[in-house]
Amino acid sequence: MYDIIIVGGGTAGLSAAIYGVRAGRKVLILEAKSYGGQIINSPEVENYPGIRKISGMEFAKGLYEQATGLGAEFRQGQVVRVEEQENCRVVVASETGKSGSDKEEQRYETKTVILATGARNRPLGLVREQELTGAGVSYCATCDGMFFRGRQVAVAGGGSTALEDAAFLSNYCEKVYLIHRRDQFRGEERLVENLRQKKNVEFVLNTVVTGLLGETVLEGVRIQDVVTKEEKELAVSGLFVAVGQMPDNKDFAGLVALDEKGYIQAAEDCRTDTPGIFVAGDCRTKDVRQLATAAADGAVAALAACEYIG
Ligand code: NAP
């Protein structure tokens, strides 16, 4: 019987684990992929208090080593449901990396659960977007950017991720078009200013991507000016989609209340409407989704879980 099972091994989940084990509790983290969550795709983190500059991967590694070094257990598994029983909860996870009937289910008993499922990349919703993912369409500039060395690429989005992606790609690619649907960026001004200094980055503003060109691999994108409605094509071999994140909490819809966008409803105390079930990080209804707020949620949720256990 675990005291706390944490679903998700990103910043919120690993922070919760640190607080849980330091409170003397038996803690298990279940993660479908590898540890770290979204931050592993950030080349540089410069806004986490107390750390001047660090790569996202290094940051995640530090958190993981801290949590497991203190005694938290970490296992790979896709949590498919949480069953409520009289005196405990059962977290059911299926093995990742296997498909269909080869997948075995594991069942873990626990007193409390912290849902820290994060968020996943939002697609643009274009025809053939999924089909061309991995064949020119990408959601991770730091993972795939090197494949486009010397080529022309486009980044879609206007937040800090899109701005950072464009800057990263400008180091390797011949030309980077940054396509944003408005004429003002949502991301940090400092990042915008940095891009303005780069000769091979072109801002394509008030513009949306309306189509993907190419049969088996991406050869270009069709774009439309949202003001003039004029359409044209850009010859690019890569399209990096960075239009924000969306939650993925459908497996828990029967367990806890979700808001209209699919985020798990809870206030800053990280308590869901189901006793014994807590939530932390980007998967929670909140205004500010940052590394620092994910870590803060982890601490709050773990201490709330400890208080619940008594
Ligand atoms: P974000 O801030 O939510 O920005 C998403 C961008 O995509 C917005 O510019 C949005 O346009 C655009 N967009 C959304 N849906 C679209 C669609 N269907 N078609 C075209 N464009 C669309 O997401 P993010 O950039 O991934 O950042 C997420 C969070 O992480 C933010 O809080 C951000 O500050 C933080 N972050 C921080 C850093 C850093 O500090 N170094 C780096 C990366 C991320 P509109 O602006 O018109 O809505």
Side-chain angles (χ1 to χ4, degrees), residues 123-140 144 147-148 209-222 234 236-241:
L124 276 171
L126 296 169
V127 174
R128 300 176 61 235
E129 185 172 344
Q130 216 177 342
E131 187 186 320
L132 289 172
T133 297
V137 176
S138 168
Y139 300 84
C140 179
D144 301 331
F147 299 124
F148 297 87
V209 180
T210 53
L212 302 172
L213 310 172
E215 284 302 313
T216 51
V217 294
L218 188 78
E219 289 167 10
V221 291
R222 189 174 304 114
L234 283 181
V236 290
S237 47
L239 171 66
F240 290 86
V241 180

PDB file of all heavy atoms in Angstrom, residues 123-140 144 147-148 209-222 234 236-241:
ATOM      1  N   PRO A 123      -2.454  20.477 -31.660  1.00  0.00           N
ATOM      2  CA  PRO A 123      -2.206  20.485 -33.110  1.00  0.00           C
ATOM      3  C   PRO A 123      -2.882  21.696 -33.763  1.00  0.00           C
ATOM      4  O   PRO A 123      -3.763  22.317 -33.163  1.00  0.00           O
ATOM      5  CB  PRO A 123      -2.850  19.172 -33.576  1.00  0.00           C
ATOM      6  CG  PRO A 123      -3.901  18.879 -32.565  1.00  0.00           C
ATOM      7  CD  PRO A 123      -3.484  19.512 -31.263  1.00  0.00           C
ATOM      8  N   LEU A 124      -2.494  22.028 -34.986  1.00  0.00           N
ATOM      9  CA  LEU A 124      -3.154  23.124 -35.695  1.00  0.00           C
ATOM     10  C   LEU A 124      -4.522  22.685 -36.217  1.00  0.00           C
ATOM     11  O   LEU A 124      -5.365  23.517 -36.492  1.00  0.00           O
ATOM     12  CB  LEU A 124      -2.287  23.583 -36.865  1.00  0.00           C
ATOM     13  CG  LEU A 124      -1.182  24.581 -36.536  1.00  0.00           C
ATOM     14  CD1 LEU A 124      -0.271  24.767 -37.736  1.00  0.00           C
ATOM     15  CD2 LEU A 124      -1.760  25.913 -36.100  1.00  0.00           C
ATOM     16  N   GLY A 125      -4.692  21.376 -36.367  1.00  0.00           N
ATOM     17  CA  GLY A 125      -5.977  20.864 -36.851  1.00  0.00           C
ATOM     18  C   GLY A 125      -6.068  20.876 -38.375  1.00  0.00           C
ATOM     19  O   GLY A 125      -7.163  20.946 -38.936  1.00  0.00           O
ATOM     20  N   LEU A 126      -4.914  20.791 -39.050  1.00  0.00           N
ATOM     21  CA  LEU A 126      -4.909  20.826 -40.519  1.00  0.00           C
ATOM     22  C   LEU A 126      -5.127  19.426 -41.091  1.00  0.00           C
ATOM     23  O   LEU A 126      -4.763  18.423 -40.466  1.00  0.00           O
ATOM     24  CB  LEU A 126      -3.557  21.339 -41.013  1.00  0.00           C
ATOM     25  CG  LEU A 126      -3.209  22.773 -40.628  1.00  0.00           C
ATOM     26  CD1 LEU A 126      -1.752  23.048 -40.937  1.00  0.00           C
ATOM     27  CD2 LEU A 126      -4.124  23.756 -41.338  1.00  0.00           C
ATOM     28  N   VAL A 127      -5.660  19.389 -42.295  1.00  0.00           N
ATOM     29  CA  VAL A 127      -5.808  18.119 -43.003  1.00  0.00           C
ATOM     30  C   VAL A 127      -4.410  17.528 -43.211  1.00  0.00           C
ATOM     31  O   VAL A 127      -3.487  18.252 -43.602  1.00  0.00           O
ATOM     32  CB  VAL A 127      -6.513  18.364 -44.373  1.00  0.00           C
ATOM     33  CG1 VAL A 127      -6.566  17.090 -45.201  1.00  0.00           C
ATOM     34  CG2 VAL A 127      -7.914  18.923 -44.149  1.00  0.00           C
ATOM     35  N   ARG A 128      -4.198  16.287 -42.947  1.00  0.00           N
ATOM     36  CA  ARG A 128      -2.945  15.523 -43.097  1.00  0.00           C
ATOM     37  C   ARG A 128      -1.861  15.932 -42.108  1.00  0.00           C
ATOM     38  O   ARG A 128      -0.698  15.542 -42.262  1.00  0.00           O
ATOM     39  CB  ARG A 128      -2.415  15.615 -44.533  1.00  0.00           C
ATOM     40  CG  ARG A 128      -3.414  15.050 -45.551  1.00  0.00           C
ATOM     41  CD  ARG A 128      -2.969  15.209 -46.975  1.00  0.00           C
ATOM     42  NE  ARG A 128      -1.741  14.534 -47.228  1.00  0.00           N
ATOM     43  CZ  ARG A 128      -0.664  15.128 -47.733  1.00  0.00           C
ATOM     44  NH1 ARG A 128      -0.670  16.382 -48.033  1.00  0.00           N
ATOM     45  NH2 ARG A 128       0.423  14.430 -47.948  1.00  0.00           N
ATOM     46  N   GLU A 129      -2.224  16.677 -41.071  1.00  0.00           N
ATOM     47  CA  GLU A 129      -1.214  17.105 -40.084  1.00  0.00           C
ATOM     48  C   GLU A 129      -0.604  15.888 -39.377  1.00  0.00           C
ATOM     49  O   GLU A 129       0.610  15.781 -39.211  1.00  0.00           O
ATOM     50  CB  GLU A 129      -1.858  18.053 -39.063  1.00  0.00           C
ATOM     51  CG  GLU A 129      -0.887  18.655 -38.079  1.00  0.00           C
ATOM     52  CD  GLU A 129      -1.529  19.731 -37.201  1.00  0.00           C
ATOM     53  OE1 GLU A 129      -2.629  20.217 -37.553  1.00  0.00           O
ATOM     54  OE2 GLU A 129      -0.941  20.067 -36.150  1.00  0.00           O
ATOM     55  N   GLN A 130      -1.480  14.967 -39.006  1.00  0.00           N
ATOM     56  CA  GLN A 130      -1.003  13.771 -38.296  1.00  0.00           C
ATOM     57  C   GLN A 130      -0.154  12.899 -39.220  1.00  0.00           C
ATOM     58  O   GLN A 130       0.909  12.423 -38.826  1.00  0.00           O
ATOM     59  CB  GLN A 130      -2.213  12.983 -37.805  1.00  0.00           C
ATOM     60  CG  GLN A 130      -1.960  12.343 -36.472  1.00  0.00           C
ATOM     61  CD  GLN A 130      -3.194  11.635 -35.963  1.00  0.00           C
ATOM     62  OE1 GLN A 130      -4.310  11.871 -36.410  1.00  0.00           O
ATOM     63  NE2 GLN A 130      -2.991  10.745 -35.026  1.00  0.00           N
ATOM     64  N   GLU A 131      -0.640  12.747 -40.458  1.00  0.00           N
ATOM     65  CA  GLU A 131       0.056  11.904 -41.442  1.00  0.00           C
ATOM     66  C   GLU A 131       1.475  12.433 -41.712  1.00  0.00           C
ATOM     67  O   GLU A 131       2.415  11.654 -41.885  1.00  0.00           O
ATOM     68  CB  GLU A 131      -0.787  11.960 -42.716  1.00  0.00           C
ATOM     69  CG  GLU A 131      -0.402  11.063 -43.829  1.00  0.00           C
ATOM     70  CD  GLU A 131      -1.267  11.390 -45.055  1.00  0.00           C
ATOM     71  OE1 GLU A 131      -2.497  11.648 -44.901  1.00  0.00           O
ATOM     72  OE2 GLU A 131      -0.696  11.428 -46.159  1.00  0.00           O
ATOM     73  N   LEU A 132       1.644  13.739 -41.742  1.00  0.00           N
ATOM     74  CA  LEU A 132       2.964  14.323 -42.056  1.00  0.00           C
ATOM     75  C   LEU A 132       3.816  14.598 -40.816  1.00  0.00           C
ATOM     76  O   LEU A 132       4.927  15.115 -40.930  1.00  0.00           O
ATOM     77  CB  LEU A 132       2.781  15.601 -42.874  1.00  0.00           C
ATOM     78  CG  LEU A 132       2.308  15.382 -44.321  1.00  0.00           C
ATOM     79  CD1 LEU A 132       1.966  16.693 -45.004  1.00  0.00           C
ATOM     80  CD2 LEU A 132       3.366  14.630 -45.136  1.00  0.00           C
ATOM     81  N   THR A 133       3.279  14.224 -39.641  1.00  0.00           N
ATOM     82  CA  THR A 133       4.094  14.373 -38.433  1.00  0.00           C
ATOM     83  C   THR A 133       5.237  13.365 -38.505  1.00  0.00           C
ATOM     84  O   THR A 133       5.031  12.176 -38.750  1.00  0.00           O
ATOM     85  CB  THR A 133       3.226  14.151 -37.173  1.00  0.00           C
ATOM     86  OG1 THR A 133       2.231  15.163 -37.151  1.00  0.00           O
ATOM     87  CG2 THR A 133       4.058  14.225 -35.900  1.00  0.00           C
ATOM     88  N   GLY A 134       6.450  13.872 -38.374  1.00  0.00           N
ATOM     89  CA  GLY A 134       7.627  13.012 -38.551  1.00  0.00           C
ATOM     90  C   GLY A 134       8.113  13.034 -39.995  1.00  0.00           C
ATOM     91  O   GLY A 134       9.160  12.486 -40.312  1.00  0.00           O
ATOM     92  N   ALA A 135       7.347  13.652 -40.882  1.00  0.00           N
ATOM     93  CA  ALA A 135       7.757  13.766 -42.291  1.00  0.00           C
ATOM     94  C   ALA A 135       7.751  15.253 -42.668  1.00  0.00           C
ATOM     95  O   ALA A 135       7.353  15.631 -43.768  1.00  0.00           O
ATOM     96  CB  ALA A 135       6.816  12.961 -43.178  1.00  0.00           C
ATOM     97  N   GLY A 136       8.169  16.072 -41.729  1.00  0.00           N
ATOM     98  CA  GLY A 136       8.229  17.520 -41.981  1.00  0.00           C
ATOM     99  C   GLY A 136       7.480  18.316 -40.928  1.00  0.00           C
ATOM    100  O   GLY A 136       7.868  19.421 -40.593  1.00  0.00           O
ATOM    101  N   VAL A 137       6.410  17.740 -40.398  1.00  0.00           N
ATOM    102  CA  VAL A 137       5.676  18.432 -39.334  1.00  0.00           C
ATOM    103  C   VAL A 137       6.210  17.946 -37.987  1.00  0.00           C
ATOM    104  O   VAL A 137       6.357  16.734 -37.775  1.00  0.00           O
ATOM    105  CB  VAL A 137       4.154  18.162 -39.426  1.00  0.00           C
ATOM    106  CG1 VAL A 137       3.416  18.808 -38.261  1.00  0.00           C
ATOM    107  CG2 VAL A 137       3.606  18.679 -40.753  1.00  0.00           C
ATOM    108  N   SER A 138       6.515  18.905 -37.111  1.00  0.00           N
ATOM    109  CA  SER A 138       7.079  18.548 -35.806  1.00  0.00           C
ATOM    110  C   SER A 138       6.506  19.448 -34.721  1.00  0.00           C
ATOM    111  O   SER A 138       6.083  20.569 -34.993  1.00  0.00           O
ATOM    112  CB  SER A 138       8.605  18.704 -35.847  1.00  0.00           C
ATOM    113  OG  SER A 138       9.144  18.624 -34.548  1.00  0.00           O
ATOM    114  N   TYR A 139       6.505  18.934 -33.503  1.00  0.00           N
ATOM    115  CA  TYR A 139       6.038  19.711 -32.344  1.00  0.00           C
ATOM    116  C   TYR A 139       7.193  19.981 -31.389  1.00  0.00           C
ATOM    117  O   TYR A 139       6.972  20.439 -30.282  1.00  0.00           O
ATOM    118  CB  TYR A 139       4.901  18.953 -31.631  1.00  0.00           C
ATOM    119  CG  TYR A 139       3.731  18.738 -32.549  1.00  0.00           C
ATOM    120  CD1 TYR A 139       3.706  17.675 -33.434  1.00  0.00           C
ATOM    121  CD2 TYR A 139       2.688  19.655 -32.587  1.00  0.00           C
ATOM    122  CE1 TYR A 139       2.677  17.510 -34.334  1.00  0.00           C
ATOM    123  CE2 TYR A 139       1.646  19.496 -33.476  1.00  0.00           C
ATOM    124  CZ  TYR A 139       1.644  18.422 -34.348  1.00  0.00           C
ATOM    125  OH  TYR A 139       0.629  18.286 -35.242  1.00  0.00           O
ATOM    126  N   CYS A 140       8.416  19.658 -31.827  1.00  0.00           N
ATOM    127  CA  CYS A 140       9.567  19.802 -30.944  1.00  0.00           C
ATOM    128  C   CYS A 140      10.801  20.227 -31.725  1.00  0.00           C
ATOM    129  O   CYS A 140      11.466  19.386 -32.348  1.00  0.00           O
ATOM    130  CB  CYS A 140       9.813  18.482 -30.209  1.00  0.00           C
ATOM    131  SG  CYS A 140      11.230  18.581 -29.115  1.00  0.00           S
ATOM    132  N   ASP A 144      13.904  17.796 -33.208  1.00  0.00           N
ATOM    133  CA  ASP A 144      13.946  17.518 -34.651  1.00  0.00           C
ATOM    134  C   ASP A 144      14.674  18.575 -35.474  1.00  0.00           C
ATOM    135  O   ASP A 144      14.900  18.364 -36.666  1.00  0.00           O
ATOM    136  CB  ASP A 144      12.502  17.390 -35.196  1.00  0.00           C
ATOM    137  CG  ASP A 144      11.734  16.283 -34.498  1.00  0.00           C
ATOM    138  OD1 ASP A 144      12.379  15.306 -34.060  1.00  0.00           O
ATOM    139  OD2 ASP A 144      10.502  16.387 -34.385  1.00  0.00           O
ATOM    140  N   PHE A 147      17.496  17.894 -38.121  1.00  0.00           N
ATOM    141  CA  PHE A 147      17.189  17.250 -39.408  1.00  0.00           C
ATOM    142  C   PHE A 147      16.977  18.289 -40.515  1.00  0.00           C
ATOM    143  O   PHE A 147      16.904  17.945 -41.689  1.00  0.00           O
ATOM    144  CB  PHE A 147      15.914  16.384 -39.296  1.00  0.00           C
ATOM    145  CG  PHE A 147      16.035  15.272 -38.299  1.00  0.00           C
ATOM    146  CD1 PHE A 147      15.133  15.148 -37.254  1.00  0.00           C
ATOM    147  CD2 PHE A 147      17.058  14.330 -38.402  1.00  0.00           C
ATOM    148  CE1 PHE A 147      15.251  14.127 -36.317  1.00  0.00           C
ATOM    149  CE2 PHE A 147      17.177  13.310 -37.482  1.00  0.00           C
ATOM    150  CZ  PHE A 147      16.270  13.206 -36.430  1.00  0.00           C
ATOM    151  N   PHE A 148      16.825  19.545 -40.128  1.00  0.00           N
ATOM    152  CA  PHE A 148      16.486  20.588 -41.106  1.00  0.00           C
ATOM    153  C   PHE A 148      17.643  21.565 -41.305  1.00  0.00           C
ATOM    154  O   PHE A 148      17.446  22.678 -41.777  1.00  0.00           O
ATOM    155  CB  PHE A 148      15.198  21.316 -40.653  1.00  0.00           C
ATOM    156  CG  PHE A 148      14.015  20.397 -40.600  1.00  0.00           C
ATOM    157  CD1 PHE A 148      13.748  19.662 -39.445  1.00  0.00           C
ATOM    158  CD2 PHE A 148      13.203  20.208 -41.707  1.00  0.00           C
ATOM    159  CE1 PHE A 148      12.683  18.780 -39.400  1.00  0.00           C
ATOM    160  CE2 PHE A 148      12.145  19.320 -41.670  1.00  0.00           C
ATOM    161  CZ  PHE A 148      11.877  18.603 -40.510  1.00  0.00           C
ATOM    162  N   VAL A 209      -1.732  29.277 -41.057  1.00  0.00           N
ATOM    163  CA  VAL A 209      -1.413  28.173 -41.974  1.00  0.00           C
ATOM    164  C   VAL A 209      -2.738  27.490 -42.310  1.00  0.00           C
ATOM    165  O   VAL A 209      -3.487  27.103 -41.417  1.00  0.00           O
ATOM    166  CB  VAL A 209      -0.442  27.160 -41.317  1.00  0.00           C
ATOM    167  CG1 VAL A 209      -0.113  26.026 -42.280  1.00  0.00           C
ATOM    168  CG2 VAL A 209       0.831  27.853 -40.852  1.00  0.00           C
ATOM    169  N   THR A 210      -3.022  27.364 -43.602  1.00  0.00           N
ATOM    170  CA  THR A 210      -4.300  26.755 -43.990  1.00  0.00           C
ATOM    171  C   THR A 210      -4.137  25.393 -44.658  1.00  0.00           C
ATOM    172  O   THR A 210      -5.100  24.660 -44.802  1.00  0.00           O
ATOM    173  CB  THR A 210      -5.077  27.690 -44.953  1.00  0.00           C
ATOM    174  OG1 THR A 210      -4.203  28.020 -46.045  1.00  0.00           O
ATOM    175  CG2 THR A 210      -5.525  28.956 -44.242  1.00  0.00           C
ATOM    176  N   GLY A 211      -2.909  25.064 -45.077  1.00  0.00           N
ATOM    177  CA  GLY A 211      -2.750  23.770 -45.736  1.00  0.00           C
ATOM    178  C   GLY A 211      -1.308  23.304 -45.743  1.00  0.00           C
ATOM    179  O   GLY A 211      -0.373  24.092 -45.584  1.00  0.00           O
ATOM    180  N   LEU A 212      -1.145  21.992 -45.893  1.00  0.00           N
ATOM    181  CA  LEU A 212       0.182  21.378 -45.944  1.00  0.00           C
ATOM    182  C   LEU A 212       0.400  20.836 -47.351  1.00  0.00           C
ATOM    183  O   LEU A 212      -0.480  20.161 -47.907  1.00  0.00           O
ATOM    184  CB  LEU A 212       0.269  20.238 -44.926  1.00  0.00           C
ATOM    185  CG  LEU A 212      -0.018  20.644 -43.471  1.00  0.00           C
ATOM    186  CD1 LEU A 212      -0.087  19.397 -42.577  1.00  0.00           C
ATOM    187  CD2 LEU A 212       1.049  21.606 -42.954  1.00  0.00           C
ATOM    188  N   LEU A 213       1.561  21.115 -47.936  1.00  0.00           N
ATOM    189  CA  LEU A 213       1.841  20.705 -49.310  1.00  0.00           C
ATOM    190  C   LEU A 213       2.867  19.577 -49.308  1.00  0.00           C
ATOM    191  O   LEU A 213       3.747  19.544 -48.446  1.00  0.00           O
ATOM    192  CB  LEU A 213       2.379  21.891 -50.113  1.00  0.00           C
ATOM    193  CG  LEU A 213       1.554  23.185 -50.029  1.00  0.00           C
ATOM    194  CD1 LEU A 213       2.282  24.341 -50.702  1.00  0.00           C
ATOM    195  CD2 LEU A 213       0.189  22.979 -50.667  1.00  0.00           C
ATOM    196  N   GLY A 214       2.757  18.708 -50.297  1.00  0.00           N
ATOM    197  CA  GLY A 214       3.703  17.588 -50.400  1.00  0.00           C
ATOM    198  C   GLY A 214       2.958  16.271 -50.216  1.00  0.00           C
ATOM    199  O   GLY A 214       2.015  16.201 -49.435  1.00  0.00           O
ATOM    200  N   GLU A 215       3.433  15.247 -50.951  1.00  0.00           N
ATOM    201  CA  GLU A 215       2.755  13.953 -50.894  1.00  0.00           C
ATOM    202  C   GLU A 215       3.203  13.129 -49.683  1.00  0.00           C
ATOM    203  O   GLU A 215       2.446  12.926 -48.744  1.00  0.00           O
ATOM    204  CB  GLU A 215       3.040  13.165 -52.185  1.00  0.00           C
ATOM    205  CG  GLU A 215       2.251  13.665 -53.390  1.00  0.00           C
ATOM    206  CD  GLU A 215       0.751  13.627 -53.155  1.00  0.00           C
ATOM    207  OE1 GLU A 215       0.251  12.588 -52.675  1.00  0.00           O
ATOM    208  OE2 GLU A 215       0.085  14.648 -53.436  1.00  0.00           O
ATOM    209  N   THR A 216       4.459  12.687 -49.717  1.00  0.00           N
ATOM    210  CA  THR A 216       4.925  11.825 -48.617  1.00  0.00           C
ATOM    211  C   THR A 216       5.716  12.595 -47.570  1.00  0.00           C
ATOM    212  O   THR A 216       5.808  12.168 -46.422  1.00  0.00           O
ATOM    213  CB  THR A 216       5.804  10.680 -49.161  1.00  0.00           C
ATOM    214  OG1 THR A 216       6.794  11.268 -49.992  1.00  0.00           O
ATOM    215  CG2 THR A 216       4.995   9.676 -49.949  1.00  0.00           C
ATOM    216  N   VAL A 217       6.325  13.713 -48.013  1.00  0.00           N
ATOM    217  CA  VAL A 217       7.012  14.585 -47.046  1.00  0.00           C
ATOM    218  C   VAL A 217       6.554  16.018 -47.279  1.00  0.00           C
ATOM    219  O   VAL A 217       6.092  16.362 -48.369  1.00  0.00           O
ATOM    220  CB  VAL A 217       8.563  14.529 -47.170  1.00  0.00           C
ATOM    221  CG1 VAL A 217       9.104  13.179 -46.790  1.00  0.00           C
ATOM    222  CG2 VAL A 217       9.023  14.948 -48.548  1.00  0.00           C
ATOM    223  N   LEU A 218       6.700  16.834 -46.251  1.00  0.00           N
ATOM    224  CA  LEU A 218       6.272  18.223 -46.369  1.00  0.00           C
ATOM    225  C   LEU A 218       7.169  18.970 -47.358  1.00  0.00           C
ATOM    226  O   LEU A 218       8.396  18.910 -47.257  1.00  0.00           O
ATOM    227  CB  LEU A 218       6.339  18.908 -44.991  1.00  0.00           C
ATOM    228  CG  LEU A 218       5.739  20.308 -44.950  1.00  0.00           C
ATOM    229  CD1 LEU A 218       4.206  20.230 -44.891  1.00  0.00           C
ATOM    230  CD2 LEU A 218       6.259  21.098 -43.763  1.00  0.00           C
ATOM    231  N   GLU A 219       6.521  19.678 -48.284  1.00  0.00           N
ATOM    232  CA  GLU A 219       7.291  20.487 -49.253  1.00  0.00           C
ATOM    233  C   GLU A 219       6.955  21.962 -49.141  1.00  0.00           C
ATOM    234  O   GLU A 219       7.614  22.810 -49.745  1.00  0.00           O
ATOM    235  CB  GLU A 219       7.022  19.983 -50.676  1.00  0.00           C
ATOM    236  CG  GLU A 219       7.667  18.624 -50.927  1.00  0.00           C
ATOM    237  CD  GLU A 219       7.180  17.950 -52.194  1.00  0.00           C
ATOM    238  OE1 GLU A 219       6.475  18.595 -52.992  1.00  0.00           O
ATOM    239  OE2 GLU A 219       7.490  16.758 -52.362  1.00  0.00           O
ATOM    240  N   GLY A 220       5.903  22.254 -48.400  1.00  0.00           N
ATOM    241  CA  GLY A 220       5.536  23.662 -48.252  1.00  0.00           C
ATOM    242  C   GLY A 220       4.261  23.809 -47.447  1.00  0.00           C
ATOM    243  O   GLY A 220       3.637  22.816 -47.055  1.00  0.00           O
ATOM    244  N   VAL A 221       3.924  25.070 -47.151  1.00  0.00           N
ATOM    245  CA  VAL A 221       2.657  25.330 -46.448  1.00  0.00           C
ATOM    246  C   VAL A 221       1.879  26.387 -47.209  1.00  0.00           C
ATOM    247  O   VAL A 221       2.466  27.265 -47.851  1.00  0.00           O
ATOM    248  CB  VAL A 221       2.888  25.808 -44.983  1.00  0.00           C
ATOM    249  CG1 VAL A 221       3.442  24.690 -44.139  1.00  0.00           C
ATOM    250  CG2 VAL A 221       3.786  27.034 -44.911  1.00  0.00           C
ATOM    251  N   ARG A 222       0.563  26.271 -47.143  1.00  0.00           N
ATOM    252  CA  ARG A 222      -0.291  27.328 -47.697  1.00  0.00           C
ATOM    253  C   ARG A 222      -0.667  28.234 -46.534  1.00  0.00           C
ATOM    254  O   ARG A 222      -1.024  27.751 -45.448  1.00  0.00           O
ATOM    255  CB  ARG A 222      -1.541  26.729 -48.333  1.00  0.00           C
ATOM    256  CG  ARG A 222      -2.338  27.776 -49.121  1.00  0.00           C
ATOM    257  CD  ARG A 222      -3.499  27.184 -49.893  1.00  0.00           C
ATOM    258  NE  ARG A 222      -3.066  26.140 -50.800  1.00  0.00           N
ATOM    259  CZ  ARG A 222      -3.401  24.861 -50.661  1.00  0.00           C
ATOM    260  NH1 ARG A 222      -4.168  24.482 -49.671  1.00  0.00           N
ATOM    261  NH2 ARG A 222      -2.963  23.966 -51.510  1.00  0.00           N
ATOM    262  N   LEU A 234       4.396  28.906 -49.151  1.00  0.00           N
ATOM    263  CA  LEU A 234       5.794  29.076 -48.732  1.00  0.00           C
ATOM    264  C   LEU A 234       6.470  27.723 -48.907  1.00  0.00           C
ATOM    265  O   LEU A 234       5.962  26.713 -48.409  1.00  0.00           O
ATOM    266  CB  LEU A 234       5.883  29.433 -47.246  1.00  0.00           C
ATOM    267  CG  LEU A 234       5.577  30.847 -46.762  1.00  0.00           C
ATOM    268  CD1 LEU A 234       5.772  30.902 -45.240  1.00  0.00           C
ATOM    269  CD2 LEU A 234       6.486  31.852 -47.441  1.00  0.00           C
ATOM    270  N   VAL A 236       8.741  25.284 -47.696  1.00  0.00           N
ATOM    271  CA  VAL A 236       9.508  24.921 -46.493  1.00  0.00           C
ATOM    272  C   VAL A 236       9.520  23.401 -46.364  1.00  0.00           C
ATOM    273  O   VAL A 236       8.573  22.736 -46.779  1.00  0.00           O
ATOM    274  CB  VAL A 236       8.908  25.525 -45.186  1.00  0.00           C
ATOM    275  CG1 VAL A 236       9.100  27.028 -45.128  1.00  0.00           C
ATOM    276  CG2 VAL A 236       7.450  25.154 -45.011  1.00  0.00           C
ATOM    277  N   SER A 237      10.583  22.862 -45.796  1.00  0.00           N
ATOM    278  CA  SER A 237      10.588  21.406 -45.600  1.00  0.00           C
ATOM    279  C   SER A 237      10.251  21.033 -44.158  1.00  0.00           C
ATOM    280  O   SER A 237      10.113  19.854 -43.848  1.00  0.00           O
ATOM    281  CB  SER A 237      11.923  20.806 -46.030  1.00  0.00           C
ATOM    282  OG  SER A 237      12.979  21.546 -45.501  1.00  0.00           O
ATOM    283  N   GLY A 238      10.116  22.047 -43.314  1.00  0.00           N
ATOM    284  CA  GLY A 238       9.724  21.756 -41.929  1.00  0.00           C
ATOM    285  C   GLY A 238       8.682  22.753 -41.441  1.00  0.00           C
ATOM    286  O   GLY A 238       8.763  23.943 -41.753  1.00  0.00           O
ATOM    287  N   LEU A 239       7.704  22.239 -40.703  1.00  0.00           N
ATOM    288  CA  LEU A 239       6.749  23.122 -40.029  1.00  0.00           C
ATOM    289  C   LEU A 239       6.754  22.740 -38.556  1.00  0.00           C
ATOM    290  O   LEU A 239       6.410  21.595 -38.201  1.00  0.00           O
ATOM    291  CB  LEU A 239       5.329  22.959 -40.595  1.00  0.00           C
ATOM    292  CG  LEU A 239       4.246  23.694 -39.784  1.00  0.00           C
ATOM    293  CD1 LEU A 239       4.429  25.205 -39.860  1.00  0.00           C
ATOM    294  CD2 LEU A 239       2.841  23.319 -40.266  1.00  0.00           C
ATOM    295  N   PHE A 240       7.176  23.670 -37.717  1.00  0.00           N
ATOM    296  CA  PHE A 240       7.209  23.422 -36.275  1.00  0.00           C
ATOM    297  C   PHE A 240       5.983  24.082 -35.656  1.00  0.00           C
ATOM    298  O   PHE A 240       5.823  25.305 -35.699  1.00  0.00           O
ATOM    299  CB  PHE A 240       8.523  23.948 -35.681  1.00  0.00           C
ATOM    300  CG  PHE A 240       9.688  23.117 -36.118  1.00  0.00           C
ATOM    301  CD1 PHE A 240      10.338  23.377 -37.319  1.00  0.00           C
ATOM    302  CD2 PHE A 240      10.096  22.028 -35.370  1.00  0.00           C
ATOM    303  CE1 PHE A 240      11.395  22.575 -37.751  1.00  0.00           C
ATOM    304  CE2 PHE A 240      11.142  21.221 -35.795  1.00  0.00           C
ATOM    305  CZ  PHE A 240      11.789  21.492 -36.983  1.00  0.00           C
ATOM    306  N   VAL A 241       5.106  23.250 -35.126  1.00  0.00           N
ATOM    307  CA  VAL A 241       3.845  23.739 -34.569  1.00  0.00           C
ATOM    308  C   VAL A 241       4.056  24.026 -33.084  1.00  0.00           C
ATOM    309  O   VAL A 241       4.450  23.136 -32.324  1.00  0.00           O
ATOM    310  CB  VAL A 241       2.724  22.684 -34.763  1.00  0.00           C
ATOM    311  CG1 VAL A 241       1.408  23.179 -34.179  1.00  0.00           C
ATOM    312  CG2 VAL A 241       2.564  22.342 -36.241  1.00  0.00           C
TER     313      VAL A 241
END
